[in-house]
Amino acid sequence: MIKTAWVTDSTAFLDDELKNHPDLYTIPLTVLLDDVEFSDGIDLTPNQLFERIKQLKNPPLTSQPSVGAFQTLYERLAKDYDQIITVLISGKLSGTVSSSMQAAKLVDIPVITFDSQILTYPMSALLKKGMELLAMGHDVEWIIEELEQIRDTNETYVLVGSLEQLHRGGRMSGLQFFLGSMLNVKPIISIVAGALEVKEKVRGEKKAKEKILDYFRIAYEKYQFKEVYILYGLHEEHAKDWQGELKEQFPLVRIICCPLGAVIGVHAGENTLGISWFNGFS
C-alpha cells in the first residue's frame, strides 16, 4: 500500500483532528519584527504579535519557508513515505507554493503541491477533504481534481481591521488609506482566484456586515452548503457575536470560528473579521 505524507504551512488552522493526524507535517512561515525573526505558530502567537506591533519602529514583515526548508522536510519524509501531498496558502498571497514546487524538483520522492488559493480554516477544510478521499481509496490525481473543483467554488469576504497596517505593509496605496480613514469607508475585501480584491466600499462597519450577509444569503439559497468559517484577528468575541447572528438565521449551517494567526494578522490587523465558505461542499 502506498504511504502518503501530508504537508501544510503554519497559516492553516489545525483543529484536534488535524493536530492528531499521524501523517500531517507543518512548515512555518516567518514573521520579522524589527529585525527579530519568529516562526509563525511556534514562538509567536497572535496575542504576542499584536502587543509587539504597537511598539515597532519598522513595519512588520513576513516571509515564506525557504526552498531548503521544504527540501529538508521532504528528504526526511522520503525515509518513511512513498509520496507527499502538500496543501498550502494561496500562491498569490505568499511565495510558499513556489518554494515547495522548487524543492519538489530536488528530492527523490513524488511531491504534489496543491495551491489552496485561500488560507486558515478554509485551507484546512480542503486538506481534511483530501485526507478523507484518500482514506476512501481514491487515487491522487482524482483527489487533486476534486479538490480543485471544490476550491474554485470558494467565496471569502473580509473586513480588514487595520487599513493602516495594510497600508504600511504595502497592500494599500496612500490615497486609498487616507480616504478610507477620513470617510469611515469599510472596504469589503474578497479573495478571488487566490488574490485580494476590493469587492465593494461601504460606509461604516454595520452596513459592510449587512452587505456580506446578503452575499451569504444569496449563496446559501442557491447551494445549501453545510458549513461556514468565521475568521478573526484577535477578538474572538466579535466572531462569536457574528456566529450568533448567523445561527439564528441559518440554523442548519455549522459555523466554525477560527483565528487568522500571526502571519495574516501582520497585514490585516487585530480587528479583522471575515467569512468564508465553499459552495461546492454539500
Side-chain angles (χ1 to χ4, degrees), residues 155 218-225 277-282:
E155 289 188 54
I218 289 163
Y220 181 71
E221 284 169 4
K222 189 171 181 182
Y223 298 105
Q224 301 289 307
F225 41 82
W277 65 87
F278 293 96
N279 292 318
F281 264 147
S282 54

Side-chain angles (χ1 to χ4, degrees), residues 133-282:
L133 293 173
L134 188 71
M136 288 164 68
H138 295 291
D139 67 64
V140 172
E141 288 75 18
W142 186 87
I143 291 169
I144 295 301
E145 280 180 23
E146 192 71 9
L147 290 183
E148 284 171 350
Q149 285 182 11
I150 295 168
R151 174 193 71 190
D152 294 346
T153 70
N154 178 264
E155 289 188 54
T156 298
Y157 302 101
V158 182
L159 298 175
V160 173
S162 171
L163 293 181
E164 184 186 358
Q165 260 169 253
L166 208 61
H167 170 55
R168 286 179 76 195
R171 265 51 177 196
M172 177 180 259
S173 76
L175 184 63
Q176 284 176 307
F177 166 59
F178 175 73
L179 290 175
S181 307
M182 288 294 289
L183 303 174
N184 189 26
V185 169
K186 266 286 180 190
I188 298 172
I189 308 287
S190 61
I191 298 181
V192 180
L196 298 178
E197 290 185 6
V198 176
K199 169 83 173 174
E200 209 162 332
K201 292 176 184 173
V202 185
R203 189 68 63 84
E205 184 156 329
K206 189 167 182 287
K207 281 188 178 165
K209 283 174 77 174
E210 285 168 7
K211 197 77 193 163
I212 291 174
L213 201 57
D214 287 343
Y215 304 146
F216 182 85
R217 189 177 290 107
I218 289 163
Y220 181 71
E221 284 169 4
K222 189 171 181 182
Y223 298 105
Q224 301 289 307
F225 41 82
K226 297 283 194 295
E227 61 183 37
V228 61
Y229 322 108
I230 296 179
L231 315 172
Y232 63 92
L234 183 62
H235 303 290
E236 188 180 9
E237 64 275 16
H238 298 164
K240 292 288 186 191
D241 288 346
W242 214 5
Q243 183 184 38
E245 289 170 37
L246 284 170
K247 204 124 199 87
E248 276 181 29
Q249 296 183 52
F250 306 95
L252 298 179
V253 182
R254 180 179 176 225
I255 303 163
I256 299 161
C257 289
C258 163
L260 285 166
V263 164
I264 311 303
V266 159
H267 301 295
E270 65 178 74
N271 292 307
T272 297
L273 201 56
I275 188 167
S276 180
W277 65 87
F278 293 96
N279 292 318
F281 264 147
S282 54

Side-chain angles (χ1 to χ4, degrees), residues 33-34 52-60 168:
L33 303 176
D34 282 344
R52 281 174 174 269
I53 278 178
K54 292 165 190 168
Q55 297 142 23
L56 290 183
K57 298 182 187 74
N58 305 303
R168 286 179 76 195

